[in-house]
Amino acid sequence: MGEINIPHDQQTALDAVDTRELDRLIDQALRSEQSGAIPGLLRNCGPCVAGRLQAFGQALGQHRAAKAARKREETRRDLRSAGSDLAHAVDGMKRRLETERKDAELFVVDDLIAPPYRFSKALSVKVNYRWRRSADDAWAYGSITFTHEVDTRPDYTKPAPKRKPSAAKQEQELQHQRYLTWEHLMRGALYSVRDFFRDGGDGAAIPGTFKATVDSHSRGLNNYSTQFWRQQP
């Protein structure tokens, strides 16, 4: 799945959902205590909707299992809340899709970025994009490479392990931590380029490379590290 763009198969699934029909089916499920056609209607609508659908199913099961009147009243409230959350999740994804399609008239950021096989302390993420100033213009293509040097100094704020791990275990943990840092860099890079365009930024002003800034306290990346348009210290 892409990081910032809804995949095409999920777009198709979301387009097929009639929200009024979904509301009707949720009300029907509250009465019948069965999910009915809801899972089929929302198949392949993405992880956000899938998570809410699972929560709705769990609430439905708990309501069916409840016997005492007081417990039934409690589980019914929970079920109504889960149904409302599900409907809002679908509505939110459909609005997000509408925004993405509007964005795509003027810019598209390629968010399918594979991690490297192995991570060194020098991390980088290349973001490709295309943009134009109006829907009548030809597309211009560009890219920006974000770089980050991992601080390898020991972190003395963390307690030392009781037993020193093996060299293989240390390397495994090192690779895992650097993967998490790379993932943070990748996500920040994608959102920064998208937000730059969404705020009306000119693609011609995007630099070819940008060294991510680091947090002065943690020495790592933060939410502002990849904002290439900010004045650098």
Side-chain angles (χ1 to χ4, degrees):
M1 177 179 172
E3 179 65 33
I4 61 172
N5 301 317
I6 300 174
H8 290 296
D9 58 339
Q10 293 178 23
Q11 291 183 26
T12 301
L14 288 165
D15 283 335
V17 177
D18 183 330
T19 53
R20 289 176 296 182
E21 175 66 4
L22 175 60
D23 289 340
R24 186 188 71 79
L25 289 173
I26 290 174
D27 287 339
Q28 186 180 75
L30 292 172
R31 294 191 301 271
S32 68
E33 300 181 14
Q34 299 292 331
S35 59
I38 295 175
L41 181 68
L42 301 182
R43 184 179 293 114
N44 205 28
C45 285
C48 175
V49 173
R52 294 300 186 185
L53 179 60
Q54 182 180 26
F56 180 73
Q58 291 172 345
L60 198 57
Q62 290 169 356
H63 184 56
R64 282 198 304 267
K67 303 301 180 184
R70 184 174 179 179
K71 185 63 175 179
R72 292 271 298 172
E73 183 180 348
E74 178 185 327
T75 56
R76 186 169 183 81
R77 284 198 304 268
D78 292 342
L79 181 56
R80 285 189 178 278
S81 177
S84 178
D85 289 344
L86 177 59
H88 281 110
V90 173
D91 185 61
M93 288 300 296
K94 287 175 82 71
R95 284 188 280 108
R96 175 184 161 183
L97 178 56
E98 183 181 353
T99 298
E100 287 185 13
R101 285 174 171 163
K102 184 178 179 181
D103 288 342
E105 295 176 5
L106 298 179
F107 70 89
V108 175
V109 180
D110 181 3
D111 66 348
L112 298 178
I113 302 175
Y117 177 74
R118 190 177 185 282
F119 299 93
S120 68
K121 67 177 183 178
L123 304 178
S124 67
V125 171
K126 182 179 180 181
V127 178
N128 297 303
Y129 56 85
R130 67 178 187 265
W131 65 283
R132 55 189 177 184
R133 292 188 173 91
S134 77
D136 297 325
D137 291 339
W139 288 106
Y141 294 81
S143 67
I144 174 174
T145 298
F146 294 82
T147 62
H148 172 60
E149 190 86 4
V150 177
D151 192 326
T152 57
R153 288 176 291 177
D155 185 355
Y156 294 107
T157 63
K158 295 182 179 179
K162 294 181 179 179
R163 295 179 60 185
K164 185 177 180 180
S166 66
K169 187 67 176 178
Q170 290 183 64
E171 177 62 18
Q172 182 182 20
E173 177 61 21
L174 179 66
Q175 286 297 304
H176 175 67
Q177 290 302 322
R178 288 182 179 176
Y179 167 74
L180 294 178
T181 302
W182 178 89
E183 189 176 49
H184 189 168
L185 179 67
M186 180 270 292
R187 287 176 171 164
L190 288 170
Y191 283 103
S192 290
V193 175
R194 185 203 66 181
D195 292 347
F196 176 78
F197 279 121
R198 190 170 281 180
D199 291 341
D202 187 343
I206 298 178
T209 60
F210 179 75
K211 183 179 180 181
T213 59
V214 296
D215 188 279
S216 58
H217 298 290
S218 69
R219 310 196 306 254
L221 301 172
N222 59 30
N223 292 337
Y224 305 101
S225 294
T226 53
Q227 292 184 356
F228 53 88
W229 62 88
R230 295 175 70 217
Q231 183 174 358
Q232 303 305 309

